[in-house]
Amino acid sequence: MNDFPIVCVGGSAGGLDAYIRLLQNLPADMGVAIVIVNHITLMPTQLHEVLPRFTSMPVELITERLLIEPNHVFIIPSNRDLHVDNGEFRLKPISKPRGWPDVITVFLRSLTEYWDGKLVAVIVSGYDGDGAAALCGIREVGGITIAQKLSTATQPDMPESAIASGCIDFVLSPEDIAKEIVRIAHAEA
């Protein structure tokens, strides 16, 4: 059943700091899947090697048809668009190979169509405005949208664009984002 919450954490430049601070404050058994969509396109991601030090949840690099499970942290591979279908991840060639990628927007839109559980979209530090275009859609299906507080973000462009969309519910530090995710997880349980 695809009925547990998915938290999509979208970021790029400066995102690592936010991911670490978030994971350090999340319990490993709250019944939520965390999906980190980091829009690096040029180099392979190292997040699945770095982040296990900061959480006791399993951290997995997403592969085609990987089953989405709660109490796991999933990492998007570079140069792929991420979709969901039938409770599994699907990887597709990146739809915007030039310029700033829109992998966060693509994944959030896929979630609004193909996931039944609660959706939480979190936009953290990064250049450009990836993700912002999908936030109103997340809210329309009853999801919750959170932007990192600009003063706590190394690179505030991305959360700034998210806030400018007019569809952000909370603007919080990574530590407070973690608290909000815990609250949402308990409300859904």
Side-chain angles (χ1 to χ4, degrees):
M1 278 292 287
N2 306 341
D3 57 0
F4 52 88
I6 284 189
V7 177
C8 168
V9 184
S12 70
L16 178 61
D17 169 65
Y19 308 144
I20 290 171
R21 288 163 63 186
L22 188 60
L23 290 175
Q24 282 177 323
N25 289 283
L26 286 176
D29 57 355
M30 54 184 183
V32 170
I34 308 280
V35 184
I36 295 180
V37 182
N38 194 55
H39 81 183
I40 303 180
T41 44
L42 301 174
M43 46 196 247
T45 181
Q46 314 279 297
L47 288 173
H48 56 297
E49 289 159 17
V50 176
L51 293 176
R53 288 189 292 234
F54 304 101
T55 175
S56 53
M57 287 185 266
V59 178
E60 292 182 66
L61 188 64
I62 294 167
T63 50
E64 179 64 14
R65 293 189 173 269
L66 181 66
L67 190 64
I68 305 172
E69 296 176 86
N71 304 324
H72 282 63
V73 179
F74 296 102
I75 311 286
I76 189 174
S78 33
N79 256 327
R80 288 285 178 273
D81 271 351
L82 184 59
H83 298 260
V84 287
D85 185 27
N86 213 1
E88 299 171 337
F89 289 111
R90 293 279 191 274
L91 293 169
K92 298 189 178 166
I94 202 156
S95 59
K96 247 183 94 183
R98 289 192 181 69
W100 291 106
D102 58 355
V103 288
I104 303 169
T105 298
V106 165
F107 179 59
L108 289 174
R109 287 193 171 140
S110 179
L111 283 177
T112 56
E113 283 180 61
Y114 298 108
W115 192 259
D116 304 327
K118 185 83 168 180
L119 298 178
V120 182
V122 179
I123 305 293
V124 299
S125 177
Y127 287 117
D128 193 44
D130 191 6
L135 295 172
C136 295
I138 291 285
R139 269 170 97 176
E140 277 159 28
V141 296
I144 292 176
T145 55
I146 306 174
Q148 184 175 357
K149 196 168 161 185
L150 303 181
S151 60
T152 69
T154 322
Q155 211 26 272
D157 296 12
M158 215 186 262
E160 213 160 26
S161 302
I163 294 164
S165 74
C167 286
I168 282 287
D169 294 310
F170 301 101
V171 179
L172 303 165
S173 69
E175 291 75 10
D176 286 340
I177 294 171
K179 284 183 195 144
E180 191 54 36
I181 293 169
V182 171
R183 197 187 63 72
I184 293 163
H186 287 158
E188 294 298 304

